[in-house]
Amino acid sequence: MLTRKQIQLLEFIQKRMARDGVPPSFDEMKDALDLRSKSGIHRLVTALEERGFIRRLPHRARALEILRLPDALAGTDGDTPKAAAGFSPRVISNDRPGRPRGAMDIVDSAAVALPLMGRIAAGVPIEAISEISHHVSVPGTMLTGRDHHYALEVKGDSMIEAGINDGDVVVIREQDSAENGDIIVALVEGHEATLKRYRRRGAMIALEAANPAYETRILPEESVRVQGRLVGLIRSY
């Protein structure tokens, strides 16, 4: 039996993972539940983990995996998945020793092969890569709608506080617009590709890192082209 706060936290984590593909930070959880300190969030997360609803992935910042949902959330519609055998977390991990980077376990029989378009910078922008290097298989449940999706390997650590690490493979839904707070693939000045959080500030676009070591880049809107939004993450250990 979960408390009201535990259910609220689990629902908030699930909705953020459905929207962004990665869990919220502890500060975001604290604000969402209107708690005074992060210690309360730590206690709630520990309680949910002990009861088998979530799992913390070791040695990774902000890496949470939803294992199941309580009955109070399982039957809802919209973005909330059902807690049944077919539910697959949007963070797909492979913790078998000796497996090569990029290998993964298929957790959904309706797997889809996506083109891996190369590397995307989560740090200093790198030259945009548009050629397919190979394909990766992802669960069909990770994809949103019938839009085109593709995968990119993350290079850099500027998004670590969003749970995105160097070497992760991100799943991107191709689109040319974004809402404030979305994590996007941005093409800067026509040749530099980077993975950042999107914020519009009047006629300017802010590309925010999730690492205090990196500064937010403020650019004229005509210099930034949205090429897709993050919807999932594949991780190898």
Side-chain angles (χ1 to χ4, degrees):
M1 193 73 164
L2 297 181
T3 66
R4 181 173 57 87
K5 283 292 187 184
Q6 289 166 357
I7 291 175
Q8 287 177 347
L9 179 60
L10 189 58
E11 183 178 22
F12 177 66
I13 294 171
Q14 186 278 319
K15 286 183 176 179
R16 285 297 299 273
M17 290 180 69
R19 190 191 77 180
D20 297 340
V22 293
S25 68
F26 274 42
D27 281 323
E28 290 169 330
M29 296 180 203
K30 175 178 70 69
D31 293 341
L33 270 66
D34 197 25
L35 298 180
R36 293 183 178 180
S37 68
K38 288 191 288 187
S39 61
I41 294 297
H42 281 283
R43 288 193 294 270
L44 291 172
V45 168
T46 298
L48 289 171
E49 187 174 33
E50 290 174 347
R51 289 162 175 77
F53 288 94
I54 64 174
R55 179 166 72 101
R56 278 183 274 205
L57 302 177
H59 313 302
R60 301 283 175 171
R62 286 179 52 174
L64 296 175
E65 184 178 64
I66 297 178
L67 302 177
R68 62 191 180 96
L69 295 174
D71 292 340
L73 299 179
T76 57
D77 296 326
D79 291 332
T80 306
K82 294 177 174 57
F87 169 60
S88 302
R90 286 179 174 256
V91 177
I92 307 301
S93 64
N94 172 30
D95 55 4
R96 293 185 190 175
R99 291 290 295 277
R101 180 170 293 281
M104 63 174 288
D105 294 326
I106 300 302
V107 296
D108 186 327
S109 58
V112 177
L114 292 184
L116 184 68
M117 305 298 291
R119 288 184 171 183
I120 183 73
V124 178
I126 58 176
E127 292 296 312
I129 298 175
S130 59
E131 293 186 4
I132 300 172
S133 59
H134 61 279
H135 285 74
V136 294
S137 294
V138 304
T141 53
M142 185 178 284
L143 309 185
T144 56
R146 296 187 178 183
D147 297 304
H148 178 66
H149 292 71
Y150 58 93
L152 292 163
E153 182 182 352
V154 174
K155 180 67 174 178
D157 62 355
S158 73
M159 297 301 289
I160 56 172
E161 291 190 2
I164 304 170
N165 302 306
D166 184 52
D168 287 346
V169 173
V170 289
V171 178
I172 304 297
R173 183 178 71 189
E174 188 172 337
Q175 59 186 67
D176 58 9
S177 62
E179 297 181 2
N180 283 339
D182 286 347
I183 296 176
I184 65 162
V185 173
L187 188 65
V188 179
E189 296 180 346
H191 66 276
E192 295 177 332
T194 188
L195 186 71
K196 292 291 181 290
R197 195 175 294 279
Y198 174 94
R199 304 279 183 192
R200 175 172 286 278
R201 300 181 181 179
M204 307 294 284
I205 302 297
L207 298 178
E208 297 179 351
N211 182 337
Y214 294 84
E215 293 183 354
T216 296
R217 298 184 73 189
I218 310 294
L219 299 161
E221 60 180 339
E222 61 270 17
S223 298
V224 179
R225 208 167 120 209
V226 177
Q227 293 200 307
R229 182 173 70 85
L230 176 73
V231 296
L233 180 72
I234 302 168
R235 175 166 295 152
S236 296
Y237 293 99

mmCIF file with all atom_site columns, all heavy atoms in Angstrom, residues 135-155:
data_model
loop_
_atom_site.group_PDB
_atom_site.id
_atom_site.type_symbol
_atom_site.label_atom_id
_atom_site.label_alt_id
_atom_site.label_comp_id
_atom_site.label_asym_id
_atom_site.label_entity_id
_atom_site.label_seq_id
_atom_site.pdbx_PDB_ins_code
_atom_site.Cartn_x
_atom_site.Cartn_y
_atom_site.Cartn_z
_atom_site.occupancy
_atom_site.B_iso_or_equiv
_atom_site.pdbx_formal_charge
_atom_site.auth_seq_id
_atom_site.auth_comp_id
_atom_site.auth_asym_id
_atom_site.auth_atom_id
_atom_site.pdbx_PDB_model_num
ATOM 1   N N   . HIS A 1 135 ? 22.141 0.247  -37.766 1.00 0.00 ? 135 HIS A N   1
ATOM 2   C CA  . HIS A 1 135 ? 20.814 0.322  -37.179 1.00 0.00 ? 135 HIS A CA  1
ATOM 3   C C   . HIS A 1 135 ? 20.835 -0.268 -35.765 1.00 0.00 ? 135 HIS A C   1
ATOM 4   O O   . HIS A 1 135 ? 21.639 -1.150 -35.461 1.00 0.00 ? 135 HIS A O   1
ATOM 5   C CB  . HIS A 1 135 ? 19.784 -0.432 -38.030 1.00 0.00 ? 135 HIS A CB  1
ATOM 6   C CG  . HIS A 1 135 ? 19.400 0.292  -39.290 1.00 0.00 ? 135 HIS A CG  1
ATOM 7   N ND1 . HIS A 1 135 ? 20.248 0.378  -40.390 1.00 0.00 ? 135 HIS A ND1 1
ATOM 8   C CD2 . HIS A 1 135 ? 18.272 0.974  -39.632 1.00 0.00 ? 135 HIS A CD2 1
ATOM 9   C CE1 . HIS A 1 135 ? 19.652 1.067  -41.349 1.00 0.00 ? 135 HIS A CE1 1
ATOM 10  N NE2 . HIS A 1 135 ? 18.462 1.450  -40.915 1.00 0.00 ? 135 HIS A NE2 1
ATOM 11  N N   . VAL A 1 136 ? 19.958 0.231  -34.911 1.00 0.00 ? 136 VAL A N   1
ATOM 12  C CA  . VAL A 1 136 ? 19.777 -0.322 -33.574 1.00 0.00 ? 136 VAL A CA  1
ATOM 13  C C   . VAL A 1 136 ? 18.311 -0.699 -33.410 1.00 0.00 ? 136 VAL A C   1
ATOM 14  O O   . VAL A 1 136 ? 17.432 -0.060 -33.992 1.00 0.00 ? 136 VAL A O   1
ATOM 15  C CB  . VAL A 1 136 ? 20.198 0.676  -32.466 1.00 0.00 ? 136 VAL A CB  1
ATOM 16  C CG1 . VAL A 1 136 ? 21.685 0.936  -32.512 1.00 0.00 ? 136 VAL A CG1 1
ATOM 17  C CG2 . VAL A 1 136 ? 19.427 1.986  -32.585 1.00 0.00 ? 136 VAL A CG2 1
ATOM 18  N N   . SER A 1 137 ? 18.068 -1.741 -32.624 1.00 0.00 ? 137 SER A N   1
ATOM 19  C CA  . SER A 1 137 ? 16.697 -2.186 -32.377 1.00 0.00 ? 137 SER A CA  1
ATOM 20  C C   . SER A 1 137 ? 16.190 -1.576 -31.085 1.00 0.00 ? 137 SER A C   1
ATOM 21  O O   . SER A 1 137 ? 16.879 -1.599 -30.066 1.00 0.00 ? 137 SER A O   1
ATOM 22  C CB  . SER A 1 137 ? 16.643 -3.712 -32.289 1.00 0.00 ? 137 SER A CB  1
ATOM 23  O OG  . SER A 1 137 ? 16.961 -4.295 -33.530 1.00 0.00 ? 137 SER A OG  1
ATOM 24  N N   . VAL A 1 138 ? 14.985 -1.019 -31.127 1.00 0.00 ? 138 VAL A N   1
ATOM 25  C CA  . VAL A 1 138 ? 14.380 -0.425 -29.931 1.00 0.00 ? 138 VAL A CA  1
ATOM 26  C C   . VAL A 1 138 ? 12.957 -0.959 -29.803 1.00 0.00 ? 138 VAL A C   1
ATOM 27  O O   . VAL A 1 138 ? 12.328 -1.336 -30.803 1.00 0.00 ? 138 VAL A O   1
ATOM 28  C CB  . VAL A 1 138 ? 14.364 1.123  -29.998 1.00 0.00 ? 138 VAL A CB  1
ATOM 29  C CG1 . VAL A 1 138 ? 15.763 1.671  -30.222 1.00 0.00 ? 138 VAL A CG1 1
ATOM 30  C CG2 . VAL A 1 138 ? 13.437 1.608  -31.096 1.00 0.00 ? 138 VAL A CG2 1
ATOM 31  N N   . PRO A 1 139 ? 12.422 -1.009 -28.575 1.00 0.00 ? 139 PRO A N   1
ATOM 32  C CA  . PRO A 1 139 ? 11.028 -1.447 -28.406 1.00 0.00 ? 139 PRO A CA  1
ATOM 33  C C   . PRO A 1 139 ? 10.071 -0.479 -29.086 1.00 0.00 ? 139 PRO A C   1
ATOM 34  O O   . PRO A 1 139 ? 10.258 0.733  -29.034 1.00 0.00 ? 139 PRO A O   1
ATOM 35  C CB  . PRO A 1 139 ? 10.835 -1.426 -26.882 1.00 0.00 ? 139 PRO A CB  1
ATOM 36  C CG  . PRO A 1 139 ? 12.215 -1.401 -26.318 1.00 0.00 ? 139 PRO A CG  1
ATOM 37  C CD  . PRO A 1 139 ? 13.071 -0.698 -27.312 1.00 0.00 ? 139 PRO A CD  1
ATOM 38  N N   . GLY A 1 140 ? 9.043  -1.009 -29.704 1.00 0.00 ? 140 GLY A N   1
ATOM 39  C CA  . GLY A 1 140 ? 8.063  -0.156 -30.355 1.00 0.00 ? 140 GLY A CA  1
ATOM 40  C C   . GLY A 1 140 ? 7.379  0.793  -29.398 1.00 0.00 ? 140 GLY A C   1
ATOM 41  O O   . GLY A 1 140 ? 6.959  1.884  -29.788 1.00 0.00 ? 140 GLY A O   1
ATOM 42  N N   . THR A 1 141 ? 7.300  0.404  -28.111 1.00 0.00 ? 141 THR A N   1
ATOM 43  C CA  . THR A 1 141 ? 6.652  1.260  -27.123 1.00 0.00 ? 141 THR A CA  1
ATOM 44  C C   . THR A 1 141 ? 7.438  2.532  -26.855 1.00 0.00 ? 141 THR A C   1
ATOM 45  O O   . THR A 1 141 ? 6.903  3.479  -26.284 1.00 0.00 ? 141 THR A O   1
ATOM 46  C CB  . THR A 1 141 ? 6.472  0.499  -25.797 1.00 0.00 ? 141 THR A CB  1
ATOM 47  O OG1 . THR A 1 141 ? 7.728  -0.051 -25.392 1.00 0.00 ? 141 THR A OG1 1
ATOM 48  C CG2 . THR A 1 141 ? 5.448  -0.614 -25.935 1.00 0.00 ? 141 THR A CG2 1
ATOM 49  N N   . MET A 1 142 ? 8.719  2.561  -27.251 1.00 0.00 ? 142 MET A N   1
ATOM 50  C CA  . MET A 1 142 ? 9.518  3.765  -27.033 1.00 0.00 ? 142 MET A CA  1
ATOM 51  C C   . MET A 1 142 ? 9.197  4.847  -28.059 1.00 0.00 ? 142 MET A C   1
ATOM 52  O O   . MET A 1 142 ? 9.444  6.028  -27.820 1.00 0.00 ? 142 MET A O   1
ATOM 53  C CB  . MET A 1 142 ? 11.008 3.414  -27.079 1.00 0.00 ? 142 MET A CB  1
ATOM 54  C CG  . MET A 1 142 ? 11.933 4.563  -26.748 1.00 0.00 ? 142 MET A CG  1
ATOM 55  S SD  . MET A 1 142 ? 13.674 4.093  -26.757 1.00 0.00 ? 142 MET A SD  1
ATOM 56  C CE  . MET A 1 142 ? 13.792 3.222  -25.198 1.00 0.00 ? 142 MET A CE  1
ATOM 57  N N   . LEU A 1 143 ? 8.628  4.464  -29.185 1.00 0.00 ? 143 LEU A N   1
ATOM 58  C CA  . LEU A 1 143 ? 8.350  5.407  -30.250 1.00 0.00 ? 143 LEU A CA  1
ATOM 59  C C   . LEU A 1 143 ? 7.012  6.083  -30.016 1.00 0.00 ? 143 LEU A C   1
ATOM 60  O O   . LEU A 1 143 ? 6.103  5.504  -29.420 1.00 0.00 ? 143 LEU A O   1
ATOM 61  C CB  . LEU A 1 143 ? 8.354  4.699  -31.601 1.00 0.00 ? 143 LEU A CB  1
ATOM 62  C CG  . LEU A 1 143 ? 9.586  3.842  -31.896 1.00 0.00 ? 143 LEU A CG  1
ATOM 63  C CD1 . LEU A 1 143 ? 9.518  3.304  -33.311 1.00 0.00 ? 143 LEU A CD1 1
ATOM 64  C CD2 . LEU A 1 143 ? 10.874 4.614  -31.670 1.00 0.00 ? 143 LEU A CD2 1
ATOM 65  N N   . THR A 1 144 ? 6.886  7.322  -30.472 1.00 0.00 ? 144 THR A N   1
ATOM 66  C CA  . THR A 1 144 ? 5.673  8.099  -30.243 1.00 0.00 ? 144 THR A CA  1
ATOM 67  C C   . THR A 1 144 ? 5.022  8.426  -31.571 1.00 0.00 ? 144 THR A C   1
ATOM 68  O O   . THR A 1 144 ? 5.605  9.117  -32.405 1.00 0.00 ? 144 THR A O   1
ATOM 69  C CB  . THR A 1 144 ? 5.999  9.401  -29.481 1.00 0.00 ? 144 THR A CB  1
ATOM 70  O OG1 . THR A 1 144 ? 6.982  10.135 -30.215 1.00 0.00 ? 144 THR A OG1 1
ATOM 71  C CG2 . THR A 1 144 ? 6.556  9.099  -28.098 1.00 0.00 ? 144 THR A CG2 1
ATOM 72  N N   . GLY A 1 145 ? 3.813  7.923  -31.757 1.00 0.00 ? 145 GLY A N   1
ATOM 73  C CA  . GLY A 1 145 ? 3.094  8.193  -32.991 1.00 0.00 ? 145 GLY A CA  1
ATOM 74  C C   . GLY A 1 145 ? 3.751  7.531  -34.188 1.00 0.00 ? 145 GLY A C   1
ATOM 75  O O   . GLY A 1 145 ? 4.545  6.602  -34.071 1.00 0.00 ? 145 GLY A O   1
ATOM 76  N N   . ARG A 1 146 ? 3.424  8.027  -35.373 1.00 0.00 ? 146 ARG A N   1
ATOM 77  C CA  . ARG A 1 146 ? 3.950  7.460  -36.613 1.00 0.00 ? 146 ARG A CA  1
ATOM 78  C C   . ARG A 1 146 ? 5.030  8.329  -37.235 1.00 0.00 ? 146 ARG A C   1
ATOM 79  O O   . ARG A 1 146 ? 5.408  8.128  -38.390 1.00 0.00 ? 146 ARG A O   1
ATOM 80  C CB  . ARG A 1 146 ? 2.802  7.256  -37.616 1.00 0.00 ? 146 ARG A CB  1
ATOM 81  C CG  . ARG A 1 146 ? 1.778  6.234  -37.137 1.00 0.00 ? 146 ARG A CG  1
ATOM 82  C CD  . ARG A 1 146 ? 0.766  5.931  -38.231 1.00 0.00 ? 146 ARG A CD  1
ATOM 83  N NE  . ARG A 1 146 ? -0.193 4.921  -37.795 1.00 0.00 ? 146 ARG A NE  1
ATOM 84  C CZ  . ARG A 1 146 ? -1.155 4.424  -38.560 1.00 0.00 ? 146 ARG A CZ  1
ATOM 85  N NH1 . ARG A 1 146 ? -1.293 4.876  -39.816 1.00 0.00 ? 146 ARG A NH1 1
ATOM 86  N NH2 . ARG A 1 146 ? -1.985 3.514  -38.108 1.00 0.00 ? 146 ARG A NH2 1
ATOM 87  N N   . ASP A 1 147 ? 5.526  9.291  -36.486 1.00 0.00 ? 147 ASP A N   1
ATOM 88  C CA  . ASP A 1 147 ? 6.576  10.160 -37.005 1.00 0.00 ? 147 ASP A CA  1
ATOM 89  C C   . ASP A 1 147 ? 7.873  9.384  -37.185 1.00 0.00 ? 147 ASP A C   1
ATOM 90  O O   . ASP A 1 147 ? 8.092  8.341  -36.570 1.00 0.00 ? 147 ASP A O   1
ATOM 91  C CB  . ASP A 1 147 ? 6.803  11.333 -36.047 1.00 0.00 ? 147 ASP A CB  1
ATOM 92  C CG  . ASP A 1 147 ? 5.577  12.206 -35.914 1.00 0.00 ? 147 ASP A CG  1
ATOM 93  O OD1 . ASP A 1 147 ? 5.091  12.691 -36.947 1.00 0.00 ? 147 ASP A OD1 1
ATOM 94  O OD2 . ASP A 1 147 ? 5.092  12.387 -34.782 1.00 0.00 ? 147 ASP A OD2 1
ATOM 95  N N   . HIS A 1 148 ? 8.757  9.929  -38.016 1.00 0.00 ? 148 HIS A N   1
ATOM 96  C CA  . HIS A 1 148 ? 10.063 9.313  -38.235 1.00 0.00 ? 148 HIS A CA  1
ATOM 97  C C   . HIS A 1 148 ? 10.906 9.445  -36.965 1.00 0.00 ? 148 HIS A C   1
ATOM 98  O O   . HIS A 1 148 ? 10.915 10.490 -36.318 1.00 0.00 ? 148 HIS A O   1
ATOM 99  C CB  . HIS A 1 148 ? 10.772 9.992  -39.406 1.00 0.00 ? 148 HIS A CB  1
ATOM 100 C CG  . HIS A 1 148 ? 12.132 9.457  -39.664 1.00 0.00 ? 148 HIS A CG  1
ATOM 101 N ND1 . HIS A 1 148 ? 12.362 8.163  -40.098 1.00 0.00 ? 148 HIS A ND1 1
ATOM 102 C CD2 . HIS A 1 148 ? 13.360 10.025 -39.538 1.00 0.00 ? 148 HIS A CD2 1
ATOM 103 C CE1 . HIS A 1 148 ? 13.658 7.966  -40.230 1.00 0.00 ? 148 HIS A CE1 1
ATOM 104 N NE2 . HIS A 1 148 ? 14.287 9.082  -39.906 1.00 0.00 ? 148 HIS A NE2 1
ATOM 105 N N   . HIS A 1 149 ? 11.620 8.384  -36.610 1.00 0.00 ? 149 HIS A N   1
ATOM 106 C CA  . HIS A 1 149 ? 12.518 8.386  -35.456 1.00 0.00 ? 149 HIS A CA  1
ATOM 107 C C   . HIS A 1 149 ? 13.912 7.964  -35.910 1.00 0.00 ? 149 HIS A C   1
ATOM 108 O O   . HIS A 1 149 ? 14.063 7.243  -36.895 1.00 0.00 ? 149 HIS A O   1
ATOM 109 C CB  . HIS A 1 149 ? 12.033 7.413  -34.373 1.00 0.00 ? 149 HIS A CB  1
ATOM 110 C CG  . HIS A 1 149 ? 10.764 7.822  -33.695 1.00 0.00 ? 149 HIS A CG  1
ATOM 111 N ND1 . HIS A 1 149 ? 9.541  7.781  -34.329 1.00 0.00 ? 149 HIS A ND1 1
ATOM 112 C CD2 . HIS A 1 149 ? 10.523 8.274  -32.432 1.00 0.00 ? 149 HIS A CD2 1
ATOM 113 C CE1 . HIS A 1 149 ? 8.596  8.187  -33.488 1.00 0.00 ? 149 HIS A CE1 1
ATOM 114 N NE2 . HIS A 1 149 ? 9.157  8.490  -32.350 1.00 0.00 ? 149 HIS A NE2 1
ATOM 115 N N   . TYR A 1 150 ? 14.911 8.391  -35.172 1.00 0.00 ? 150 TYR A N   1
ATOM 116 C CA  . TYR A 1 150 ? 16.271 7.957  -35.441 1.00 0.00 ? 150 TYR A CA  1
ATOM 117 C C   . TYR A 1 150 ? 17.050 7.942  -34.125 1.00 0.00 ? 150 TYR A C   1
ATOM 118 O O   . TYR A 1 150 ? 16.559 8.413  -33.085 1.00 0.00 ? 150 TYR A O   1
ATOM 119 C CB  . TYR A 1 150 ? 16.950 8.863  -36.472 1.00 0.00 ? 150 TYR A CB  1
ATOM 120 C CG  . TYR A 1 150 ? 17.020 10.328 -36.107 1.00 0.00 ? 150 TYR A CG  1
ATOM 121 C CD1 . TYR A 1 150 ? 18.131 10.867 -35.455 1.00 0.00 ? 150 TYR A CD1 1
ATOM 122 C CD2 . TYR A 1 150 ? 15.972 11.198 -36.427 1.00 0.00 ? 150 TYR A CD2 1
ATOM 123 C CE1 . TYR A 1 150 ? 18.193 12.219 -35.132 1.00 0.00 ? 150 TYR A CE1 1
ATOM 124 C CE2 . TYR A 1 150 ? 16.029 12.544 -36.115 1.00 0.00 ? 150 TYR A CE2 1
ATOM 125 C CZ  . TYR A 1 150 ? 17.133 13.053 -35.467 1.00 0.00 ? 150 TYR A CZ  1
ATOM 126 O OH  . TYR A 1 150 ? 17.193 14.371 -35.149 1.00 0.00 ? 150 TYR A OH  1
ATOM 127 N N   . ALA A 1 151 ? 18.241 7.374  -34.146 1.00 0.00 ? 151 ALA A N   1
ATOM 128 C CA  . ALA A 1 151 ? 19.057 7.245  -32.941 1.00 0.00 ? 151 ALA A CA  1
ATOM 129 C C   . ALA A 1 151 ? 20.394 7.956  -33.138 1.00 0.00 ? 151 ALA A C   1
ATOM 130 O O   . ALA A 1 151 ? 20.894 8.075  -34.259 1.00 0.00 ? 151 ALA A O   1
ATOM 131 C CB  . ALA A 1 151 ? 19.294 5.771  -32.611 1.00 0.00 ? 151 ALA A CB  1
ATOM 132 N N   . LEU A 1 152 ? 20.952 8.442  -32.028 1.00 0.00 ? 152 LEU A N   1
ATOM 133 C CA  . LEU A 1 152 ? 22.252 9.101  -32.031 1.00 0.00 ? 152 LEU A CA  1
ATOM 134 C C   . LEU A 1 152 ? 23.035 8.669  -30.803 1.00 0.00 ? 152 LEU A C   1
ATOM 135 O O   . LEU A 1 152 ? 22.455 8.494  -29.727 1.00 0.00 ? 152 LEU A O   1
ATOM 136 C CB  . LEU A 1 152 ? 22.083 10.628 -32.000 1.00 0.00 ? 152 LEU A CB  1
ATOM 137 C CG  . LEU A 1 152 ? 21.479 11.299 -33.231 1.00 0.00 ? 152 LEU A CG  1
ATOM 138 C CD1 . LEU A 1 152 ? 21.011 12.708 -32.882 1.00 0.00 ? 152 LEU A CD1 1
ATOM 139 C CD2 . LEU A 1 152 ? 22.476 11.334 -34.380 1.00 0.00 ? 152 LEU A CD2 1
ATOM 140 N N   . GLU A 1 153 ? 24.333 8.506  -30.946 1.00 0.00 ? 153 GLU A N   1
ATOM 141 C CA  . GLU A 1 153 ? 25.188 8.213  -29.784 1.00 0.00 ? 153 GLU A CA  1
ATOM 142 C C   . GLU A 1 153 ? 25.642 9.526  -29.160 1.00 0.00 ? 153 GLU A C   1
ATOM 143 O O   . GLU A 1 153 ? 26.095 10.442 -29.859 1.00 0.00 ? 153 GLU A O   1
ATOM 144 C CB  . GLU A 1 153 ? 26.404 7.389  -30.196 1.00 0.00 ? 153 GLU A CB  1
ATOM 145 C CG  . GLU A 1 153 ? 27.288 7.015  -29.008 1.00 0.00 ? 153 GLU A CG  1
ATOM 146 C CD  . GLU A 1 153 ? 28.523 6.226  -29.395 1.00 0.00 ? 153 GLU A CD  1
ATOM 147 O OE1 . GLU A 1 153 ? 28.627 5.840  -30.571 1.00 0.00 ? 153 GLU A OE1 1
ATOM 148 O OE2 . GLU A 1 153 ? 29.389 6.019  -28.527 1.00 0.00 ? 153 GLU A OE2 1
ATOM 149 N N   . VAL A 1 154 ? 25.529 9.625  -27.839 1.00 0.00 ? 154 VAL A N   1
ATOM 150 C CA  . VAL A 1 154 ? 25.872 10.850 -27.125 1.00 0.00 ? 154 VAL A CA  1
ATOM 151 C C   . VAL A 1 154 ? 27.376 10.929 -26.912 1.00 0.00 ? 154 VAL A C   1
ATOM 152 O O   . VAL A 1 154 ? 28.013 9.963  -26.477 1.00 0.00 ? 154 VAL A O   1
ATOM 153 C CB  . VAL A 1 154 ? 25.142 10.910 -25.773 1.00 0.00 ? 154 VAL A CB  1
ATOM 154 C CG1 . VAL A 1 154 ? 25.610 12.120 -24.952 1.00 0.00 ? 154 VAL A CG1 1
ATOM 155 C CG2 . VAL A 1 154 ? 23.640 10.953 -25.980 1.00 0.00 ? 154 VAL A CG2 1
ATOM 156 N N   . LYS A 1 155 ? 27.928 12.074 -27.197 1.00 0.00 ? 155 LYS A N   1
ATOM 157 C CA  . LYS A 1 155 ? 29.343 12.349 -26.966 1.00 0.00 ? 155 LYS A CA  1
ATOM 158 C C   . LYS A 1 155 ? 29.450 13.544 -26.041 1.00 0.00 ? 155 LYS A C   1
ATOM 159 O O   . LYS A 1 155 ? 29.053 14.659 -26.405 1.00 0.00 ? 155 LYS A O   1
ATOM 160 C CB  . LYS A 1 155 ? 30.057 12.639 -28.290 1.00 0.00 ? 155 LYS A CB  1
ATOM 161 C CG  . LYS A 1 155 ? 31.539 12.950 -28.161 1.00 0.00 ? 155 LYS A CG  1
ATOM 162 C CD  . LYS A 1 155 ? 32.328 11.740 -27.693 1.00 0.00 ? 155 LYS A CD  1
ATOM 163 C CE  . LYS A 1 155 ? 33.829 12.032 -27.700 1.00 0.00 ? 155 LYS A CE  1
ATOM 164 N NZ  . LYS A 1 155 ? 34.597 10.872 -27.192 1.00 0.00 ? 155 LYS A NZ  1
#
